Amino acid sequence: MTATTPDITPADEFTGVGTILNPATGAVAGEVRWTDPAGIDAIAADLRRAQRDWEQRGAKGRAKALARFAVWLDDHRGEIEDLLIAETGKSASDAAVEVTLLVMILSYVIKTMEKALAPEHRPASLPILAIKKITVYYRPRPVVGIIAPWNYPVANALMDAIGALAAGCTVLLKPSERTPLTAEVLRRGWLESGAPDVLAVVQGARAVAEAVVDNSDYVQFTGSTATGRKVAERAARRLTPVSLELGGKDPMIVCEDADIELAAHAAVWGAMFNAGQTCVSVERVYVLEQVYDKFVEAVVRDVNELQMGAGEGHHFGAMIDDSQVSIAARHVDEAVAAGARALTGGKRPNGVGSFYPPTVLVDVDHSMTCMTEETFGPTLPIMKVAGVDEAIRLANDSPYGLSASVFSGDVSRAKDIAVQLDCGAVNINDVISNLMCTTAPMGGWKSSGIGARFGGADGMRKFCRQEAVVAPRTNVGAGGNYYHNSLKRLAATTKMITQVALRRPRRAAK
């Protein structure tokens, strides 16, 4: 769920108390006390001390704490969503998904964490090595730093933190300076639910983010590609591992045998949900020429029924600020100037708020920024293609590779198309749904990131270091290669191992 603009501000830092405004109304949403970057060393040191006891609780003990937090989240859903709308200008329907997603993740993690984190016994690679018992332990990294974006301040703050906490790590969370308020409520809820003080929140911009990277043993960053590179470069100074979910320009392919009504509904929702401010939103569509006109007509009909505005009774709300609006407006203006047509929207409405109307663009091509740069706004450019091969080529003609979608009446055919797309996930006859499938990994290719979130057990193990313990089943064979043995015995042992090991390659080579 990537934010397209950097979350580490390049210039000014914040001190004292800051005021956060609602981007839909300009009203005060709340105040935040900015963290002194110099104090983050001490916060991280406190987390390291607390981590030992948290790890010692074991998976069962940590699961109980996570379960109580899940209940707290549901009990306080109204409070969280009201604040979320106030600091982001979201519609009520868009705000409603965030707590729901966290509860889903918590439910799955609670059920599976004991097995996922248990020591794993590995078989010997050869019968001759069966005298050794191999066990892999998953040891938590003490402090996991999470730098979260503004587009989903609740979900992105904790969707990775849940896996880290389950693994026995502590979490040092820096929310976006644009949306700091809900993170404070989430930390309050963690403590009110009876959990130990292993989740810290620090507030600020660049200097605070840098201090988080410098004091963490693992960094999860969600944000722009440009900022992700800076995070990776800084983390590399201490060889700190990172997982980066970065920008996207997700394509959708509509085949001639697709259910056009379903595809149109999906394209509109996938493009406009959360005002288009979703990493896996539909950012460009390639439609086979046989069904192009029918698809465009259905999309325009659906878009014309959308209601834009914050809170209840609207389909999607404001963009986070005017800088985001300007990106969407620039992409649309440049496309129209180059020959594209805006069938809906296309002009920012008059009045208060960082709103941009749902805009459908046709007669577009890859010379236009609306098809090549991440827009992160409520736009839907649609391009006619002659065949599937052209659609695949154009879909892959991008520096990004986060996710994609394919619509076809033949699921087997859609799967064949899917595995030719250069991205981390593909939805067939649906959009965005991979976000809900937390047993599947969600990771970007190319400039869309490195590593992955979710992925079942891997979503917890990624925050651990693997430690292999090799123990003897018997003392027979111990010391067979030591220097105190004769050279003749060493040669015989080497010959025997080689002959046994070669049996399988010789059979496979025939």
Side-chain angles (χ1 to χ4, degrees), residues 396-430:
N396 288 336
D397 181 23
S398 173
Y400 298 111
L402 198 55
S403 71
S405 56
V406 178
F407 282 76
S408 171
D410 184 339
V411 172
S412 178
R413 179 195 187 197
K415 288 181 179 178
D416 289 341
I417 295 170
V419 295
Q420 297 179 69
L421 299 177
D422 298 335
C423 59
V426 180
N427 295 293
I428 292 176
N429 293 336
D430 202 355

Side-chain angles (χ1 to χ4, degrees), residues 247-502:
K249 190 69 179 177
D250 291 5
M252 174 176 173
I253 295 175
V254 182
C255 298
E256 81 284 353
D257 61 348
D259 180 334
I260 297 304
E261 285 294 306
L262 174 66
H265 294 332
V268 172
W269 183 75
M272 308 304 170
F273 180 73
N274 201 44
Q277 298 172 127
T278 304
C279 63
V280 292
S281 65
V282 177
E283 288 241 354
R284 51 196 170 115
V285 186
Y286 303 98
V287 186
L288 269 68
E289 58 187 356
Q290 298 96 313
V291 293
Y292 175 83
D293 290 338
K294 184 178 178 181
F295 177 81
V296 170
E297 180 182 359
V299 164
V300 170
R301 178 204 63 210
D302 280 6
V303 168
N304 283 331
E305 294 176 356
L306 297 181
Q307 298 295 319
M308 181 175 64
E312 294 286 349
H314 301 98
H315 292 96
F316 69 88
M319 301 183 73
I320 193 64
D321 60 25
D322 283 356
S323 68
Q324 286 301 124
V325 174
S326 67
I327 294 172
R330 175 173 62 82
H331 286 183
V332 171
D333 292 345
E334 290 174 351
V336 171
R341 291 181 294 138
L343 301 185
T344 67
K347 293 294 181 183
R348 182 176 181 177
N350 295 324
V352 176
S354 297
F355 289 97
Y356 195 81
T359 300
V360 177
L361 293 169
V362 295
D363 300 335
V364 294
D365 59 44
H366 276 218
S367 69
M368 302 173 185
T369 53
C370 69
M371 294 293 286
T372 58
E373 295 182 7
E374 186 177 32
T375 305
F376 224 61
T379 64
L380 185 59
I382 306 170
M383 184 173 177
K384 182 191 297 184
V385 294
V388 169
D389 288 344
E390 183 184 9
I392 293 171
R393 177 179 62 80
L394 290 168
N396 288 336
D397 181 23
S398 173
Y400 298 111
L402 198 55
S403 71
S405 56
V406 178
F407 282 76
S408 171
D410 184 339
V411 172
S412 178
R413 179 195 187 197
K415 288 181 179 178
D416 289 341
I417 295 170
V419 295
Q420 297 179 69
L421 299 177
D422 298 335
C423 59
V426 180
N427 295 293
I428 292 176
N429 293 336
D430 202 355
V431 294
I432 306 182
S433 58
N434 62 296
L435 272 176
M436 302 297 175
C437 302
T438 54
T439 56
M442 181 185 174
W445 293 14
K446 299 186 281 189
S447 292
S448 288
I450 57 176
R453 55 165 45 111
F454 303 147
D458 291 341
M460 293 171 266
R461 290 176 178 174
K462 68 182 270 188
F463 299 112
C464 298
R465 296 164 292 189
Q466 296 184 48
E467 181 178 351
V469 176
V470 180
R473 295 181 185 275
T474 170
N475 284 329
V476 174
N481 289 323
Y482 294 170
Y483 288 133
H484 70 276
N485 292 295
S486 69
L487 294 178
K488 183 177 180 180
R489 182 176 177 183
L490 290 174
T493 301
T494 301
K495 183 177 180 180
M496 178 185 66
I497 292 173
T498 302
Q499 291 303 311
V500 171
L502 277 173

Side-chain angles (χ1 to χ4, degrees), residues 53-81:
D53 290 337
W54 180 237
E55 180 181 359
Q56 289 301 311
R57 288 191 180 208
K60 285 185 177 180
R62 296 194 298 273
K64 288 182 179 179
L66 290 167
R68 288 191 291 266
F69 182 52
V71 173
W72 187 95
L73 285 172
D74 188 59
D75 289 344
H76 294 77
R77 178 188 296 268
E79 175 191 356
I80 296 169
E81 291 175 1

Side-chain angles (χ1 to χ4, degrees), residues 90-104:
K90 290 177 186 275
S91 68
S93 58
D94 284 350
V97 303
E98 299 205 36
V99 171
T100 298
L101 179 59
L102 292 183
V103 171
M104 285 176 54

Side-chain angles (χ1 to χ4, degrees), residues 32-329:
V32 60
R33 179 167 293 280
W34 305 115
T35 305
D36 181 355
I40 293 177
D41 289 6
I43 295 171
D46 289 342
L47 288 173
R48 289 183 191 283
R49 285 188 287 270
Q51 187 270 334
R52 298 169 191 150
D53 290 337
W54 180 237
E55 180 181 359
Q56 289 301 311
R57 288 191 180 208
K60 285 185 177 180
R62 296 194 298 273
K64 288 182 179 179
L66 290 167
R68 288 191 291 266
F69 182 52
V71 173
W72 187 95
L73 285 172
D74 188 59
D75 289 344
H76 294 77
R77 178 188 296 268
E79 175 191 356
I80 296 169
E81 291 175 1
D82 286 347
L83 182 57
L84 187 57
I85 292 169
E87 75 170 344
T88 64
K90 290 177 186 275
S91 68
S93 58
D94 284 350
V97 303
E98 299 205 36
V99 171
T100 298
L101 179 59
L102 292 183
V103 171
M104 285 176 54
I105 296 169
L106 282 160
S107 179
Y108 173 76
V109 165
I110 290 163
K111 177 183 176 182
T112 60
M113 58 188 284
E114 186 174 6
K115 181 179 179 180
L117 298 167
E120 182 180 3
H121 301 295
R122 301 282 179 91
S125 56
L126 294 169
I128 198 171
L129 294 176
I131 58 174
K132 300 296 185 183
K133 184 177 182 180
I134 304 164
T135 308
V136 177
Y137 293 84
Y138 294 94
R139 302 281 305 280
R141 300 179 189 274
V143 178
V144 171
I146 295 179
I147 302 174
W150 45 259
N151 57 334
Y152 292 93
V154 172
N156 266 316
L158 291 187
M159 61 169 51
D160 299 296
I162 289 168
L165 291 166
C169 314
T170 60
V171 170
L172 181 59
L173 168 65
K174 190 204 90 71
S176 170
E177 59 273 19
R178 290 173 168 144
T179 54
L181 303 178
T182 44
E184 298 288 353
V185 174
L186 296 175
R187 171 174 154 77
R188 191 195 87 208
W190 176 254
L191 298 175
E192 286 182 357
S193 67
D197 199 355
V198 292
L199 170 63
V201 174
V202 292
Q203 303 283 12
R206 180 173 183 169
V208 172
E210 289 174 344
V212 168
V213 174
D214 293 346
N215 284 279
S216 298
D217 304 297
Y218 188 99
V219 176
Q220 172 71 50
F221 172 79
T222 307
S224 71
T225 298
T227 308
R229 289 192 177 101
K230 295 176 183 177
V231 169
E233 289 169 1
R234 191 169 188 94
R237 299 177 186 179
R238 297 175 55 245
L239 295 181
T240 302
V242 299
S243 179
L244 309 174
E245 193 207 302
L246 309 177
K249 190 69 179 177
D250 291 5
M252 174 176 173
I253 295 175
V254 182
C255 298
E256 81 284 353
D257 61 348
D259 180 334
I260 297 304
E261 285 294 306
L262 174 66
H265 294 332
V268 172
W269 183 75
M272 308 304 170
F273 180 73
N274 201 44
Q277 298 172 127
T278 304
C279 63
V280 292
S281 65
V282 177
E283 288 241 354
R284 51 196 170 115
V285 186
Y286 303 98
V287 186
L288 269 68
E289 58 187 356
Q290 298 96 313
V291 293
Y292 175 83
D293 290 338
K294 184 178 178 181
F295 177 81
V296 170
E297 180 182 359
V299 164
V300 170
R301 178 204 63 210
D302 280 6
V303 168
N304 283 331
E305 294 176 356
L306 297 181
Q307 298 295 319
M308 181 175 64
E312 294 286 349
H314 301 98
H315 292 96
F316 69 88
M319 301 183 73
I320 193 64
D321 60 25
D322 283 356
S323 68
Q324 286 301 124
V325 174
S326 67
I327 294 172

